[in-house]
Structures are given as structure tokens and as C-alpha cells.
Amino acid sequence: MSYTYEYPRPAVTVDCVVFGLDEEDLKVLLIQRGAEPFLGKWAFPGGFVQMDESLEDAARRELEEEAGIRPSHLEQLYTFGTVGRDPRGRVITVAYFVLVKLSDYRPRAASDAREAAWFSVWDTPKLAFDHAEILSTALQRLKGKVRYQPIGFELLPPKFTLTQLQRLYEVVLERTLDKRNFRKKILAMDLLEELDEVEQDVSHRAARLYRFDHRKYKQLEKAGFNFEL
Amino acid sequence: MSYTYEYPRPAVTVDCVVFGLDEEDLKVLLIQRGAEPFLGKWAFPGGFVQMDESLEDAARRELEEEAGIRPSHLEQLYTFGTVGRDPRGRVITVAYFVLVKLSDYRPRAASDAREAAWFSVWDTPKLAFDHAEILSTALQRLKGKVRYQPIGFELLPPKFTLTQLQRLYEVVLERTLDKRNFRKKILAMDLLEELDEVEQDVSHRAARLYRFDHRKYKQLEKAGFNFEL
DNA sequence: TCAAAAGTGTTTGGATTACACCCATGG
DNA sequence: CCATGGGTGTAATCCAAACACTTTTGA
């Protein structure tokens, strides 16, 4: 390997924007930094890429280490490489985009005692580095994605009501949707399995529960089906 | 700056996938490599990111140096970071996506005597590194982009016929479109300015020439207009 | 019996598709 | 006068949007 490249190199990190949904709102996972720079400030889980791991592997490792999250699916979001974005020197970060069922990852202290917490995406504390910009890019992506992929798969619990699903779309798209049209359209996609179960412990008529049919989704996806809402 | 990071770092490059359109086909710009690895093989213009330039600046610099191209607009495509993708060692590349008017950049030898040439995107030589994968990612992006942004702006000469514009869409989408419906729709967007000019030197009825109206495009874009075809 | 949310169809207007012939020009 | 592509309209269908009341349940 005689032709190795010998100039100064930027450092490369990954950062993960993890979205979850709870009863009230769309949430994003933040970690309170335990080291300089930005000690005590909130930031996305992430860290330096090792020489022997791919970018996605690095993102998965950091997610596991810092937040105990092992998501099934990561999507690359964007790479941020402005010269002054990190006071430690030249650092390029590859941001990843992750959707999880928030209920699987209730707030807990990470293994290394740094605090992890979910914040409403519309009301985060001031973020370290250029993470505010990264968040805004991620929100845009989410908004675009929701239009042609059934993201409910990943954000909702396995069994959910149509109203929950509609709320998800409304929160992400930042507009209200018509209940009847929404149901018509979503059911017409034939991706949901109607269960013989209803909500429990509600003080009004209980809603029917549904489940995503992953098999049908994969089939339709291969066939180039359009999930636009 | 006491907290500088001191571990081994991957190298970071940028690569540019430049598309152009000529009479026959959609073309992509390739450079014949003048150094190992992959000496003599074809690859995208690109190179190492300097410590004092942003990713996009690096992409612009390399495009200028290697192909004499100064495009108005670059779009980040994707970052490729598989461990074995470069035999020189760990190299992460940030790929950029560029549309140009091919007529502005007729094939010429680059300043450093490496050869640059346009190839049909459906029929390229074998590419260096993982550039085949990068090309396929770029083609997907182009196909997606064409559906909600008027890419004709950047690929066509300033004055063009509706048939040329339709061909562009057909080539990118890989399907034929109905002439009457296409015209109806594209004219209804009210983005084209009809000129008092027609084609020259054709051996049949000369087609009317049109021009994009950038002002109107910017306005509509701001208003969140949908350019879907 | 009241409050709260679940559930359900129809109508209308706009958009998309399919489709075929005459026109202008140069050779 | 012929070959080549330029240019044009209408009808049928599908899809999206608007819209309000009845049902169920628990408190």
C-alpha cells in the first residue's frame, strides 16, 4: 500500500437524530454532554467513527452506548462539514435519522451516567454544536418521508388505533386531517390488519386496534407502490 | 484548544456526479484516473477535502480543477463510508450531485492532462472504487427529483423546444409520456415563457422555442408549489 | 343522562388519462 | 409531393376534498 495519503485529515463523527412519539407529541432524544466542549449542554447521541467500522455501524454503536437503543433501521440524513462547526478543530459529522417506538425506550440514565431524555421537537433546550441545524434538517426529512412511506410502522406501538395513527400524521405534517378521508385512504392501502381487540381503560367508547402488516408492506414496496397521503 | 481529538482518522474526499443532456441521451461526466489506485480507470471528478474548506467548497474546487466546471448549484447526494471502499485505506467520500448544460462543457482535456469525457449513463465503462454504486444512487435521486422540481432549468440550453423538455423527462423517468398531456401540464405550471423564435436548420416544421422564467419559479417555490409531473 | 371520542357515505370539482388528426417545412 | 416532426381538444375516469350525524361507553 505504497500510495497512502499523508495530509492532515478532518475528524469524522456520526450523530443520531432519534424520533419517538408519545401521547402528546413528537419527541427527539438528547444526551447531556459530559465533556467539553459544550459540557452540560444537550446534543444528539454520537461520536467519532473508528477506523474499522462503517458509518452506520458507528452510529449503531454510539446509539447503543449512549442511549441503549438498538433500532432496526437507520437512515443517513446529511453530512455536515462547515469549517467552524466544532471548536475542537475540523470535524465532519454524518447525521443519521432514526425512528423508534418511544415506549420501548423510557428515559433512563445511560451507562456512562450522562443523562438522556426525550424532548418535544418543537421545544428543545439550546443544542450544542450545529445540532439545531441538524434537527431542522431531520424534521424536514421526516415531513417529506411521511408522504411516501408509512412511518407509523416504526413510531407506533405494535397495536394502535386509527386515531393514534392520524395524530402521528397531523403532528408530523403540522396540519389537521379529515377523519373520514384519512380512514378511507389508509384502509384502502390495505396495509393494516384489523384486530378483534379494542383499547382498554378509556372513559369513552373504546377504539378498535390495528396492526401493520409487514408482509404486505414489503410486497407493495417492491412493486413500487405509492403510499402518499 | 486543550480537548483536541487524537485518534487515527479516516481520510475524507468528495466526488461529483455531474449529469448533462445531449441530443441523444443523459450523460455523466467521468475522468480517467492518472494515478494509482485504479490508474487509467474512469471515475467521478473528486479528491481530498482540505482542512480549511467546507465540503461543498471542496467539491467546487475539484470540479473546477479536474473538469473546468463551475456549476451554479451543487446538491449533496450521500456519504459513502464502507470500510474497504478504497485500497489506500480508510476513505470516506461525500458525493455531490450536479446538473449542467452539457453544451457549456464540451469534452476537453483537463488542465492536468487527465482525460474527461461524457458517457451515456446507461452505458459507462467499468468505474473505479465504488463509483458504480454512487452512480446508481445518483440516478435514483435524479428520478426522484424530477418529480417535484423542474430540473429542465439546469440541464437544457436557455432556449429549448417542448419536445426537448419532454425527452428529458422521458429519459430520466425511463418511460414515454403523452405529448398533449405533457404540454398541457407543463404549460399550466406557468413557468415557461413562449418566445417569438423557432428552431433553425431542421428539415421539418420548426418548433417554437421556450425559456424558463426563473422569477416565477422562485416565487412558486417559496409558496410551496408542487411541480409534480 | 351526559361527556367524550368512535365510527361511517355521499357529493362535487378538479386532475389525469386516453386517444387521432391536420399543419408547416425542407428536401 | 412526401417525410418528418409540430401542434392541438375532448370525453371518460379517477381521486381528493368537503362535509355532519349517530353510536358506544364509562363516569
Side-chain angles (χ1 to χ4, degrees):
Chain A
M1 208 179 287
S2 54
Y3 37 69
T4 302
Y5 172 75
E6 291 302 353
Y7 293 92
R9 300 172 173 196
V12 181
T13 60
V14 289
D15 284 298
C16 300
V17 185
V18 186
F19 291 112
L21 189 78
D22 70 7
E23 296 70 34
E24 294 116 47
D25 213 348
L26 182 67
K27 298 286 207 284
V28 63
L29 182 72
L30 298 175
I31 307 271
Q32 197 164 28
R33 289 184 54 81
E36 289 291 351
F38 297 104
L39 186 138
K41 285 272 183 305
W42 296 86
F44 298 123
F48 292 93
V49 174
Q50 312 295 337
M51 294 300 271
D52 60 349
E53 65 185 359
S54 71
L55 297 169
E56 184 174 323
D57 288 346
R60 287 183 183 281
R61 178 180 50 72
E62 293 287 350
L63 263 183
E64 165 86 49
E65 287 175 14
E66 299 195 331
I69 288 179
R70 264 187 268 101
S72 55
H73 181 71
L74 296 185
E75 174 176 323
Q76 191 182 300
L77 175 63
Y78 196 79
T79 300
F80 296 82
T82 307
V83 171
R85 60 174 294 283
D86 188 318
R88 288 170 291 192
R90 186 70 197 280
V91 181
I92 290 166
T93 196
V94 182
Y96 277 80
F97 175 96
V98 189
L99 303 177
V100 301
K101 301 187 205 314
L102 194 145
S103 53
D104 293 350
Y105 303 106
R106 278 296 164 193
R108 62 177 195 77
S111 56
D112 55 4
R114 282 184 250 166
E115 207 184 333
W118 294 97
F119 291 87
S120 161
V121 295
W122 314 116
D123 185 26
T124 63
K126 210 156 200 292
L127 301 181
F129 305 103
D130 54 356
H131 287 195
E133 187 188 346
I134 296 179
L135 176 58
S136 120
T137 305
L139 282 169
Q140 267 178 258
R141 170 76 62 98
L142 182 61
K143 232 163 161 164
K145 203 179 166 61
V146 77
R147 305 200 47 147
Y148 58 92
Q149 280 177 22
I151 60 171
F153 272 71
E154 311 178 63
L155 286 168
L156 291 176
K159 299 171 181 180
F160 52 86
T161 68
L162 292 183
T163 301
Q164 281 179 285
L165 186 60
Q166 183 176 341
R167 287 245 173 77
L168 162 57
Y169 278 89
E170 290 180 336
V171 167
V172 171
L173 294 173
E174 290 181 279
R175 64 189 181 94
T176 59
L177 299 170
D178 179 83
K179 183 162 58 160
R180 280 168 294 187
N181 292 337
F182 178 81
R183 286 168 183 235
K184 224 181 305 170
K185 188 136 187 197
I186 212 89
L187 291 174
M189 285 182 187
D190 195 30
L191 280 176
L192 298 185
E193 190 182 346
E194 183 175 333
L195 302 176
D196 286 328
E197 278 178 83
V198 293
E199 283 181 297
Q200 299 299 321
D201 303 316
V202 287
S203 74
H204 53 75
R205 176 172 176 183
R208 159 144 284 131
L209 292 173
Y210 290 80
R211 185 160 62 186
F212 276 109
D213 186 333
H214 279 78
R215 296 176 59 83
K216 277 196 185 137
Y217 175 56
K218 291 289 170 208
Q219 280 171 231
L220 290 172
E221 198 183 27
K222 269 186 192 161
F225 184 76
N226 190 357
F227 298 97
E228 206 158 324
L229 210 83
Chain B
M1 208 179 287
S2 55
Y3 36 70
T4 304
Y5 171 75
E6 292 300 355
Y7 294 91
R9 299 173 173 195
V12 180
T13 60
V14 289
D15 284 298
C16 299
V17 184
V18 185
F19 291 112
L21 189 77
D22 70 8
E23 296 69 35
E24 293 116 46
D25 213 350
L26 183 67
K27 298 286 208 285
V28 64
L29 182 73
L30 298 175
I31 307 271
Q32 196 164 30
R33 288 184 55 81
E36 290 291 352
F38 296 103
L39 186 139
K41 286 272 183 305
W42 296 87
F44 297 122
F48 292 92
V49 174
Q50 311 296 337
M51 294 300 271
D52 59 351
E53 66 186 358
S54 71
L55 297 169
E56 184 174 323
D57 288 347
R60 287 184 184 278
R61 178 180 50 72
E62 292 287 349
L63 264 182
E64 166 85 50
E65 287 177 13
E66 299 196 332
I69 289 179
R70 264 187 271 104
S72 56
H73 182 70
L74 294 184
E75 175 176 323
Q76 191 181 300
L77 175 63
Y78 196 79
T79 299
F80 296 83
T82 307
V83 171
R85 59 173 295 283
D86 188 318
R88 288 170 291 193
R90 185 70 196 281
V91 181
I92 289 165
T93 197
V94 182
Y96 277 81
F97 174 96
V98 190
L99 303 177
V100 300
K101 302 189 206 309
L102 194 147
S103 52
D104 292 350
Y105 302 107
R106 279 295 164 195
R108 63 176 195 79
S111 55
D112 53 6
R114 282 184 249 167
E115 208 185 332
W118 294 97
F119 291 87
S120 160
V121 295
W122 314 115
D123 184 26
T124 63
K126 209 159 200 288
L127 301 181
F129 306 104
D130 55 354
H131 287 195
E133 187 188 346
I134 297 178
L135 176 57
S136 120
T137 304
L139 282 169
Q140 267 176 257
R141 171 75 61 98
L142 183 61
K143 232 165 162 163
K145 205 178 165 60
V146 78
R147 305 200 48 148
Y148 58 91
Q149 281 177 22
I151 59 170
F153 272 70
E154 312 181 61
L155 286 168
L156 291 176
K159 298 171 181 182
F160 52 86
T161 68
L162 292 182
T163 302
Q164 280 178 284
L165 186 60
Q166 184 175 341
R167 287 243 174 78
L168 162 58
Y169 278 89
E170 290 180 335
V171 167
V172 171
L173 294 173
E174 291 182 279
R175 65 191 181 92
T176 59
L177 300 171
D178 179 84
K179 183 162 56 159
R180 279 169 293 188
N181 293 337
F182 178 81
R183 286 169 183 235
K184 222 182 307 169
K185 187 135 186 195
I186 213 87
L187 291 174
M189 285 181 186
D190 195 29
L191 280 176
L192 299 185
E193 189 183 347
E194 184 176 333
L195 302 176
D196 286 329
E197 277 179 82
V198 293
E199 283 181 298
Q200 299 299 323
D201 304 315
V202 287
S203 73
H204 53 74
R205 175 173 175 182
R208 159 145 283 131
L209 292 173
Y210 289 80
R211 185 159 62 185
F212 276 108
D213 186 333
H214 284 253
R215 295 176 60 84
K216 276 195 184 139
Y217 174 56
K218 291 290 172 207
Q219 280 173 231
L220 290 173
E221 198 184 28
K222 269 187 193 161
F225 185 76
N226 190 358
F227 299 96
E228 206 156 327
L229 210 81

